[in-house]
């Protein structure tokens, strides 16, 4: 898959290049990014170079991880990173993101995540986009909810970070949540369905 460029009212989303290594290195010195995401800690230049020069291009080439650098539409500094990763079950992708400390509070990530979600459904035919974050990562949850994700619950030991399994919130976004059509019909469970442990008569 060739990298693509997405635009929103304020933002331009493009692939990372080697020229972004220093900006990634600086952004990932933030203790919050190291605490709540799976980036290495301490975060060194070699980690940034691996990300921009190997991980990102390899993901695009394989068509299994599409990663975008988020910058102002008219040009400027790196604001954030957002990626979608193909999961084993058909049609499902998972979104992950971080925003540089000095650029938080401006709605950039919800705007970028919304653009990526729209593209993943219309461009790649995804049927479900998942979001996961460690329980307690309220900033990530706020972004997910502003983007339209429905938080579905808690997965015990649902996230591996720094060699430790952690409980994770999980949420989903469906094409219909954005007014789009899914490639498959969707039959939700009835709201008044049978109670757990019961059987139909």
């Amino acid at each position: 898959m060739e990298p693509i460029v997405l635009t929103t009212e304020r933002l331009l989303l493009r692939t990372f290049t080697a020229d972004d290594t220093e900006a990634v290195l600086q952004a990932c010195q933030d203790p919050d990014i190291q605490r709540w995401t799976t980036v290495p800690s301490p975060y060194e230049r070699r980690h940034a170079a691996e990300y921009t020069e190997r991980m990102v291009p390899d993901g695009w080439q394989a068509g299994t991880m599409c990663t975008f650098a988020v910058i102002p539409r008219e040009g400027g500094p790196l604001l954030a990173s957002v990626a979608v990763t193909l999961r084993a079950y058909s049609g499902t992708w998972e979104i992950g993101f971080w925003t540089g400390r000095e650029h938080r509070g401006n709605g950039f990530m919800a705007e970028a995540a919304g653009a990526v979600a729209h593209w993943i459904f219309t461009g790649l035919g995804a049927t479900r986009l998942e979001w996961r974050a460690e329980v307690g990562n309220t900033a990530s949850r706020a972004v997910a909810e502003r983007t339209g994700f429905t938080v579905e619950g808690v997965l015990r030991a649902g996230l591996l970070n720094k060699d430790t399994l952690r409980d994770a919130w999980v949420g989903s976004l469906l094409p219909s949540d954005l007014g789009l059509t899914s490639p498959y019909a969707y039959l939700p469970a009835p709201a008044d369905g049978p109670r757990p442990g019961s059987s139909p008569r």
Side-chain angles (χ1 to χ4, degrees):
M1 183 187 303
E2 290 295 321
I4 68 161
V5 174
L6 303 175
T7 57
T8 70
E9 181 179 353
R10 299 182 295 168
L11 305 173
L12 184 144
L13 285 70
R14 58 159 175 80
T15 191
F16 281 91
T17 71
D19 291 340
D20 298 306
T21 299
E22 180 64 27
V24 171
L25 174 64
Q26 294 307 314
C28 290
Q29 299 310 305
D30 175 24
D32 288 337
I33 290 178
Q34 293 190 21
R35 166 64 182 87
W36 294 111
T37 78
T38 57
V39 304
S41 180
Y43 195 84
E44 302 172 356
R45 176 171 293 279
R46 62 188 175 91
H47 298 129
E50 171 74 13
Y51 183 70
T52 61
E53 298 175 30
R54 294 193 58 187
M55 184 182 299
V56 170
D58 287 355
W60 279 104
Q61 184 175 19
T64 55
M65 185 175 70
C66 307
T67 306
F68 296 89
V70 182
I71 64 172
R73 185 165 179 166
E74 304 305 322
L78 176 69
L79 305 175
S81 170
V82 58
V84 284
T85 304
L86 181 63
R87 291 309 177 205
Y89 24 105
S90 179
T92 297
W93 293 69
E94 182 176 333
I95 193 167
F97 46 77
W98 54 255
T99 304
R101 175 181 288 276
E102 64 272 30
H103 304 299
R104 295 173 193 155
N106 297 299
F108 291 142
M109 184 46 67
E111 187 174 330
V116 172
H118 190 278
W119 170 71
I120 205 79
F121 291 135
T122 60
L124 298 185
T127 58
R128 174 180 165 95
L129 183 59
E130 289 188 350
W131 157 86
R132 296 187 190 197
E134 184 181 339
V135 172
N137 189 350
T138 55
S140 182
R141 179 168 178 159
V143 168
E145 290 178 333
R146 283 198 299 271
T147 306
F149 282 80
T150 296
V151 178
E152 298 172 330
V154 174
L155 298 175
R156 295 189 304 157
L159 189 151
L160 180 64
N161 188 7
K162 314 296 189 289
D163 296 322
T164 301
L165 288 169
R166 306 164 191 263
D167 290 348
W169 285 319
V170 61
S172 68
L173 190 68
L174 305 181
S176 57
D177 296 330
L178 301 181
L180 302 172
T181 302
S182 174
Y184 300 102
Y186 169 43
L187 182 63
D192 57 350
R195 292 181 303 231
S198 66
S199 59
R201 296 182 181 273

